[in-house]
């Protein structure tokens, strides 16, 4: 059975959490709608379309801010408890700080599981729709790239031609075992090429060992051909970088496709680690917020509490961010790039808990 004080702490935290969440969500919508209006200013869309795009994109952005929401919610909860002198009342009934922190941490973990399973999958599906709709109004929507079980497929419109390119795999900026079918704007096929390797480090591709036929003519061979494209290897890497638009099953399928293609799965592995560690991350932020509020002097102003808490949460965010970049650049093992910062913050929390327990 949940005790009375536990119900009170949980309900108080949840009310504050929903309030802070609403504020963050509103700010995201307000800021994002201006970006969408600016993006679509030259299109013939209606007035409501930017707002619709904003609604689709906002949950994904808010998902990234949940560590801040948990931290700030914890701060406001303790400010409330301090203002009403409820912490002193809890102590008089032999309720220790450690028990209060335990209740909030356990509830935060349960809430973060719900956020990961329900909110993340919802936001990723909405993000996918958002990207699909917005791509139709992109100024550079002359090309498209996808990864399937049959390798990498690229649609590339350039020089009034449409090139459909299929590569079995990619490694170090080189496409291997490539087929290129060239069409006119009316989709009339006029050229077909089979290439062993293509260097795509620049937008002028270098085709090695080419077999081609033009306008139904006999097959010809050439060692090297320069081929213009809208793509280079860096752009292809960026095309598949927005993993927030994929749910767990889609990420798993994408990883399988990347492996078949010989494409690096480092970013996908790191994203998986971020998702798995997310409930722990949010719980640590709640725990850290409790420790900060209980270890500083009560006579400090509320503004001081909020500024200090926000500063610390931003520092933690950038530590996680830069550690993730090291993992993506393969300067640090994928596992450590996500879990090591959490371990360090956890150690600080343990030290803080020891100090609190001594009070």
């Amino acid at each position: 059975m949940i005790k009375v004080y536990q119900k009170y702490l949980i309900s108080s935290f949840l009310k504050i959490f929903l309030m802070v969440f609403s504020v963050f969500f509103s700010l995201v919508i307000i800021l994002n709608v201006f970006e969408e209006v600016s993006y679509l200013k030259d299109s013939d869309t209606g007035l409501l379309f930017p707002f619709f795009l904003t609604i689709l994109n906002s949950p994904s952005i808010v998902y990234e801010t949940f560590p801040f929401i948990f931290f700030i919610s914890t701060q406001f909860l303790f400010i409330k408890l301090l203002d009403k002198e409820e912490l002193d009342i809890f102590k008089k009934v032999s309720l220790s700080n450690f028990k209060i922190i335990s209740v909030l941490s356990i509830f935060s973990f349960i809430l973060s599981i719900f956020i990961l399973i329900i909110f993340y999958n919802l936001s990723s599906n909405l993000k996918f729709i958002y990207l699909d709709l917005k791509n139709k109004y992109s100024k550079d929507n002359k090309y498209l790239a996808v990864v399937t079980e049959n390798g990498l497929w690229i649609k590339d419109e350039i020089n009034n031609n449409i090139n459909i390119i299929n590569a079995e795999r990619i490694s170090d900026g080189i496409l291997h075992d490539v087929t290129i079918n060239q069409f006119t704007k009316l989709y009339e096929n006029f050229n077909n090429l089979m290439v062993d390797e293509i260097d795509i480090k620049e937008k002028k591709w270098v085709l090695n060992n080419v077999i081609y036929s033009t306008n139904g003519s006999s097959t010809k061979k050439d060692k090297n051909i320069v081929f213009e494209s809208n793509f280079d290897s860096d752009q292809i890497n960026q095309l598949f970088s927005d993993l927030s638009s994929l749910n767990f099953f889609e990420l798993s399928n994408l990883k399988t496709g990347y492996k078949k293609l010989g494409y690096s799965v480092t970013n996908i592995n790191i994203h998986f680690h971020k998702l798995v560690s997310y409930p722990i991350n949010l719980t640590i932020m709640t725990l850290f917020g409790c420790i900060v509020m209980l270890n500083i002097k009560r006579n400090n102003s509320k503004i001081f509490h909020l500024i200090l808490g926000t500063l610390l949460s931003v520092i933690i965010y950038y530590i996680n961010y830069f550690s993730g970049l090291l993992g993506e650049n393969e300067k640090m093992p994928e596992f450590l790039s996500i879990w090591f910062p959490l371990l360090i913050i956890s150690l600080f929390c343990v030290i803080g808990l020891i100090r609190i327990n001594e009070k």
Side-chain angles (χ1 to χ4, degrees), residues 91-137:
K91 286 184 178 180
K92 289 179 181 179
V93 295
S94 301
L95 185 61
S96 66
N97 290 332
F98 185 78
K99 286 184 178 179
I100 296 173
I101 293 174
S102 298
V103 172
L104 294 176
S105 298
I106 292 172
F107 177 71
S108 294
F109 184 78
I110 295 172
L111 182 59
S112 61
I113 292 290
F114 174 83
I115 289 171
L116 180 63
I117 295 175
I118 306 298
F119 190 90
Y120 172 76
N121 281 286
L122 174 63
S123 67
S124 65
N125 290 332
L126 294 177
K127 182 81 171 186
F128 183 86
I129 298 171
Y130 164 80
L131 293 173
D132 186 51
L133 289 174
K134 192 170 181 178
N135 185 57
K136 295 177 182 178
Y137 297 92

Side-chain angles (χ1 to χ4, degrees), residues 64 241 243 264-275 277 281 315-342 345:
E64 300 296 328
S241 61
L243 300 177
S264 173
V265 296
T266 298
N267 286 354
I268 298 178
N269 288 335
I270 289 175
H271 193 68
F272 266 121
H273 283 298
K274 285 181 180 178
L275 292 178
S277 66
N281 186 12
I315 291 173
I316 291 172
Y317 171 82
Y318 278 106
I319 289 173
N320 288 327
Y321 176 75
F322 286 118
S323 181
L325 284 182
L326 291 175
E328 291 176 5
N329 295 326
E330 300 183 353
K331 303 295 184 183
M332 181 184 290
E334 300 163 358
F335 180 84
L336 285 179
S337 67
I338 301 303
W339 291 96
F340 184 69
L342 296 180
I345 299 168

